[in-house]
Amino acid sequence: MSENNENFENREREELIERIINEKGPDAFDDMLKLLDDEDENVKEIATEVLYRLGDSVRPKIEEYVKKEVLRGEKNNMKLLYLIDLLGDMGAKNSVKDILKALELYDFEEAQIVIYEALAKLGAGEQFYPLLRYMLLEGEERFALGPQIAIAMSYLDIPEIIHDLVQAIDSSDFSGEDLETIKQALSNVINTRPSYKEILITLVGEENFEKYVL
């Protein structure tokens, strides 16, 4: 796709999102919920973005829907996973218990990492730090899911994560876009917790600092 075509599609997407929000507002909730069943990932992303921008006007409805779906207990429910991810972005701390229960409903690691990330964003992910660290540095899943794991870890307020991400970068396990994503995760940690910058400088030296961040 050329850059011009991509820019055009992005503008069209943004105009559609704005039109839905301006014309329907919170009343768009039910329609957006239905669109999360669509097979097209672009459609799901648009629906999710609309709900995110509607913010507090729809958050209670999302929280209630997630609670009901968790109680219903359907395994590997992808719509529920999208909404859990969204609640993490929305800072919905009231849903932490429901999101924790949702872990039992997914039997594939990609989904579980999405849930760990949502919990980390909500300040409730520290208990999973040892598992995430193992998955990133030792588990076989690191080769397929390492970048996703690193991003999830970047939301945890744990100083040791700096060492873990440096170790991942220094290993020979990651290259190309995967390595760049792990550096982005480390950059995110430094940007959101500036006091951790000194930990990184202590580990790698000020002269090497730029090699580890984006």
Side-chain angles (χ1 to χ4, degrees):
M1 181 187 298
S2 72
E3 185 174 344
N4 285 339
N5 285 342
E6 185 174 353
N7 289 338
F8 178 74
E9 287 194 3
N10 287 338
R11 283 198 305 272
E12 280 198 324
R13 179 180 182 274
E14 182 62 25
E15 287 171 2
L16 175 58
I17 291 170
E18 287 294 326
R19 190 163 68 248
I20 293 170
I21 292 172
N22 292 332
E23 292 179 2
K24 301 203 71 173
D27 290 338
F29 175 77
D30 290 337
D31 290 337
M32 296 305 103
L33 210 58
K34 291 175 184 175
L35 290 180
L36 288 177
D37 288 319
D38 199 285
E39 294 183 1
D40 189 328
E41 289 298 319
N42 289 325
V43 172
K44 291 178 180 178
E45 288 176 8
I46 288 170
T48 303
E49 183 64 20
V50 169
L51 292 172
Y52 176 74
R53 295 195 198 180
L54 287 169
D56 289 344
S57 66
V58 297
R59 181 171 52 79
K61 289 184 177 181
I62 299 172
E63 291 173 332
E64 185 61 28
Y65 184 88
V66 166
K67 181 185 289 291
K68 288 180 179 178
E69 287 300 295
V70 170
L71 286 173
R72 195 165 67 87
E74 179 185 343
K75 292 286 187 179
N76 300 319
N77 181 340
M78 295 308 297
K79 179 191 285 190
L80 176 60
L81 191 64
Y82 269 88
L83 293 173
I84 287 172
D85 187 36
L86 183 58
L87 287 178
D89 289 336
M90 297 175 89
K93 293 188 177 184
N94 291 338
S95 291
V96 165
K97 288 183 179 179
D98 296 316
I99 295 172
L100 280 167
K101 290 177 185 175
L103 272 171
E104 303 170 3
L105 302 178
Y106 295 89
D107 54 20
F108 58 103
E109 288 168 332
E110 294 93 331
Q112 292 165 358
I113 295 168
V114 170
I115 296 174
Y116 295 144
E117 182 176 327
L119 289 167
K121 289 175 180 176
L122 298 173
E126 283 76 7
Q127 63 186 299
F128 301 107
Y129 165 63
L131 173 61
L132 289 168
R133 183 186 186 280
Y134 172 80
M135 292 171 74
L136 177 67
L137 299 176
E138 300 179 53
E140 286 298 314
E141 53 274 284
R142 70 188 186 278
F143 298 111
L145 302 175
Q148 186 182 350
I149 297 165
I151 293 295
M153 290 176 69
S154 74
Y155 292 100
L156 296 173
D157 189 4
I158 299 175
E160 288 79 9
I161 285 170
I162 300 295
H163 183 276
D164 301 333
L165 294 175
V166 166
Q167 186 176 335
I169 291 167
D170 285 342
S171 74
S172 58
D173 294 335
F174 307 104
S175 61
E177 289 185 11
D178 287 352
L179 182 59
E180 292 294 295
T181 301
I182 296 172
K183 289 183 179 181
Q184 184 63 60
L186 183 53
S187 300
N188 292 348
V189 176
I190 299 298
N191 290 335
T192 55
R193 301 178 181 86
S195 62
Y196 285 10
K197 181 177 179 179
E198 292 304 317
I199 301 174
L200 178 57
I201 290 174
T202 300
L203 283 174
V204 305
E206 193 160 4
E207 68 279 7
N208 295 316
F209 177 81
E210 296 297 333
K211 297 178 182 177
Y212 289 84
V213 296
L214 296 178

